Amino acid sequence: EVTDNANEDGGAIRDWSLDICATFPSEASLTALTNSAVICVDDSTSYELLIGGGFAVDALNIEVSGLPAGATYSFSPEDYLPASIVMLNVSNFSEGGMYDITVEASDGMNTNSTMLQLIINDLPESFDLQVPGDGVTEVALNSIFEWQGSMNADSYQITVSTNPNLADGILLFENLNSLNTTVDGLENGTTYYWQVVAINDCGQISSPIQSFT
């Protein structure tokens, strides 16, 4: 709160500043202010690290181990110093999984490390339709449709259409948590096309389109 104690005319305040003082550990320490992250495989992430003031300025080096194969990392700022905060930026992931990452700071005389956790979620994997089979005829007008499970999928969406490209989508079933559903409302002598989409928080993948009559 700012109070005008001069003449109480509500005038503007000019040329003022606020200094904030941060206290850093005096010992040669490394602390993760952000120690875990959950991301998708095509994302990147960052961890905030607190470097103690006990390291030698000219000899301080930070190494990172335990990252997924092919992943890369960098620091912001690049020229990190003792008694400062640095961001560890990690990217270029190719597969999902859970990883325990070790970050070690050393100046040749003093060494300290901290542990980070990284969980990478994959996109759903490819899968196939099962029932009705592709090109099957005389399918019942009220039928159970089945498909293979897609690894990493959270839910499924099925589209049934009379167009090969599913343009009209006359029947749409969303947020399915099982590998089958009952489809009704079909008409005799009509060729239909159907497809299932596997979905999770990281994205989606579509099955091949199949037909039945």
Side-chain angles (χ1 to χ4, degrees):
E1 181 180 353
V2 178
T3 303
D4 180 4
N5 289 322
N7 52 22
E8 299 183 353
D9 63 354
I13 298 176
R14 297 186 178 90
D15 299 326
W16 70 282
S17 63
L18 177 64
D19 293 329
I20 299 177
C21 298
T23 301
F24 293 92
S26 59
E27 64 270 16
S29 61
L30 183 66
T31 304
L33 302 180
T34 309
N35 58 16
S36 64
V38 180
I39 62 172
C40 295
V41 70
D42 54 355
D43 291 337
S44 60
T45 191
S46 297
Y47 298 89
E48 191 174 25
L49 305 174
L50 175 65
I51 306 172
F55 293 104
V57 174
D58 297 334
L60 177 59
N61 184 57
I62 302 179
E63 297 289 342
V64 180
S65 61
L67 289 172
T72 58
Y73 68 90
S74 63
F75 293 104
S76 302
E78 294 181 3
D79 299 324
Y80 46 77
L81 296 170
S84 69
I85 292 176
V86 63
M87 299 300 296
L88 168 62
N89 309 304
V90 191
S91 59
N92 294 328
F93 306 112
S94 59
E95 59 184 5
M98 181 181 296
Y99 302 90
D100 293 321
I101 302 168
T102 302
V103 185
E104 183 178 273
S106 178
D107 61 4
M109 294 291 292
N110 304 288
T111 299
N112 197 267
S113 63
T114 188
M115 296 296 299
L116 310 175
Q117 186 179 70
L118 174 62
I119 299 175
I120 305 173
N121 293 322
D122 256 325
L123 293 168
E125 295 186 4
S126 60
F127 65 104
D128 291 316
L129 305 179
Q130 293 183 319
V131 179
D134 194 21
V136 169
T137 60
E138 300 183 1
V139 173
L141 303 184
N142 187 335
S143 296
I144 295 177
F145 284 43
E146 301 177 5
W147 54 92
Q148 292 178 339
S150 168
M151 185 73 72
N152 307 312
D154 293 330
S155 65
Y156 298 90
Q157 171 184 296
I158 176 174
T159 302
V160 181
S161 172
T162 54
N163 289 329
N165 62 1
L166 308 178
D168 54 8
I170 59 173
L171 296 173
L172 179 66
F173 303 84
E174 298 180 291
N175 299 319
L176 301 174
N177 296 314
S178 64
L179 301 181
N180 61 75
T181 191
T182 299
V183 176
D184 53 18
L186 302 175
E187 297 182 359
N188 275 321
T190 302
T191 297
Y192 292 96
Y193 302 86
W194 71 296
Q195 182 182 62
V196 174
V197 179
I199 303 167
N200 69 13
D201 290 339
C202 293
Q204 62 185 44
I205 188 170
S206 300
S207 73
I209 296 175
Q210 293 187 358
S211 67
F212 65 92
T213 302

